[in-house]
Amino acid sequence: MGAVLVIGIFTGLAVTLYSAYSKAASRSEEEETLTSVLSSLLQAKGRMETLENGESFVLPFKLSAGGRTAGTLWTKVGGAGRMGFTFRGKEMGNLTLVLEDGALIRLSGSPDLLSPPSLLSISEVRETGQPRWIRVDVHHLVVENYELQLASTSPVSLRFTCTSNNYTVMPENGRPNRENVILSLQDWVAPEHGEAWAQYLSYLASVLPPYYRVSADPAKLELTILGLEDLGVKDILYYERWTRIRVEVV
């Protein structure tokens, strides 16, 4: 009887320890997959920002954890277009990583901006040590191709190809072409990502020099740049660039 009891206790302990080990191992594998996908998306983001027309690059994506599919890699068209990875974890729960107009966003509860886009940059043109004009560059990165969904237990590779890279607005003869600039994202980005984009616009308004006269309206997803001078004076060199990218399985 005592021997049977000892064996029973030992068996129960072994099952408990194995279960704990199994969960820990599963969590470790899921963390490895998420880290790998995050790294691939960050690399994609950085390299997409510098692509010229006709150029391309290939990146690997690990979509499995512990021999099973860990989620779905996808692209969607419309607006800025976007690509992402929807993770379904046994131990870590579900979340989605999204690359949209150069921003890397995490969806798990409230949207969270993991890496800001290169969407907007502002610099000064100075004369005799004082700012005379400001230069505003808006650079849109558009995922433009058919929609795809991909799940696999083996690593996959995606090719990113720049189909066009053009300035649609730029100054003539090096002279300012705008009195002010309004950057509106409300009808451009996905509504479910709005909170992350609102955070980004509010951050820009808070860190740019006050004399640029920049304000954000998070509810409308708008950023307004009034420039250095009063209404009626063009003192902004405004550049608008569009890079369109096709994503496909190699």
Side-chain angles (χ1 to χ4, degrees):
M1 180 68 178
V4 172
L5 180 60
V6 170
I7 292 172
I9 293 174
F10 177 79
T11 302
L13 179 60
V15 169
T16 301
L17 290 174
Y18 176 78
S19 177
Y21 170 79
S22 179
K23 288 183 178 181
S26 179
R27 184 178 182 87
S28 177
E29 290 165 348
E30 290 177 3
E31 288 176 344
E32 182 183 344
T33 296
L34 268 180
T35 300
S36 176
V37 172
L38 179 60
S39 175
S40 293
L41 288 173
L42 284 171
Q43 289 183 65
K45 164 183 156 56
R47 296 180 69 174
M48 286 166 65
E49 292 171 352
T50 61
L51 278 180
E52 298 291 343
N53 193 29
E55 292 181 343
S56 66
F57 62 89
V58 175
L59 283 177
F61 284 81
K62 179 184 178 181
L63 307 182
S64 64
R68 64 175 182 84
T69 59
T72 304
L73 191 66
W74 49 265
T75 62
K76 292 184 179 180
V77 297
R82 51 200 182 277
M83 70 170 295
F85 179 68
T86 299
F87 177 79
R88 298 179 182 87
K90 288 184 177 180
E91 300 302 326
M92 296 182 61
N94 301 336
L95 64 84
T96 298
L97 300 172
V98 182
L99 193 55
E100 179 181 53
D101 208 358
L104 184 59
I105 299 168
R106 178 178 59 193
L107 299 177
S108 179
S110 298
D112 184 23
L113 187 64
L114 296 181
S115 180
S118 60
L119 176 63
L120 178 73
S121 63
I122 304 180
S123 57
E124 296 180 4
V125 177
R126 302 178 73 87
E127 192 173 85
T128 63
Q130 298 297 320
R132 181 183 182 188
W133 302 324
I134 60 174
R135 171 171 172 158
V136 176
D137 286 81
V138 173
H139 184 195
H140 289 288
L141 294 174
V142 183
V143 174
E144 187 179 64
N145 61 297
Y146 61 89
E147 295 191 0
L148 67 83
Q149 291 192 4
L150 184 63
S152 175
T153 56
S154 301
V156 300
S157 294
L158 296 182
R159 177 179 288 112
F160 298 76
T161 303
C162 178
T163 59
S164 65
N165 179 39
N166 301 305
Y167 282 94
T168 58
V169 181
M170 59 189 309
E172 293 183 4
N173 302 318
R175 303 291 299 179
N177 56 339
R178 291 290 177 87
E179 297 178 21
N180 56 70
V181 172
I182 299 177
L183 177 63
S184 180
L185 301 177
Q186 190 167 50
D187 296 324
W188 179 242
V189 299
E192 60 268 28
H193 307 157
E195 188 174 336
W197 283 105
Q199 294 169 3
Y200 167 69
L201 296 178
S202 296
Y203 172 76
L204 288 177
S206 70
V207 298
L208 289 169
Y211 55 87
Y212 290 177
R213 297 192 296 169
V214 179
S215 61
D217 187 336
K220 293 183 178 180
L221 294 186
E222 282 187 357
L223 188 79
T224 300
I225 306 167
L226 295 178
L228 307 173
E229 303 291 342
D230 293 330
L231 189 65
V233 178
K234 292 183 178 180
D235 63 344
I236 298 176
L237 298 156
Y238 179 65
Y239 295 77
E240 187 171 301
R241 177 184 171 194
W242 293 76
T243 301
R244 301 182 184 276
I245 297 165
R246 182 177 66 245
V247 183
E248 57 193 344
V249 181
V250 176

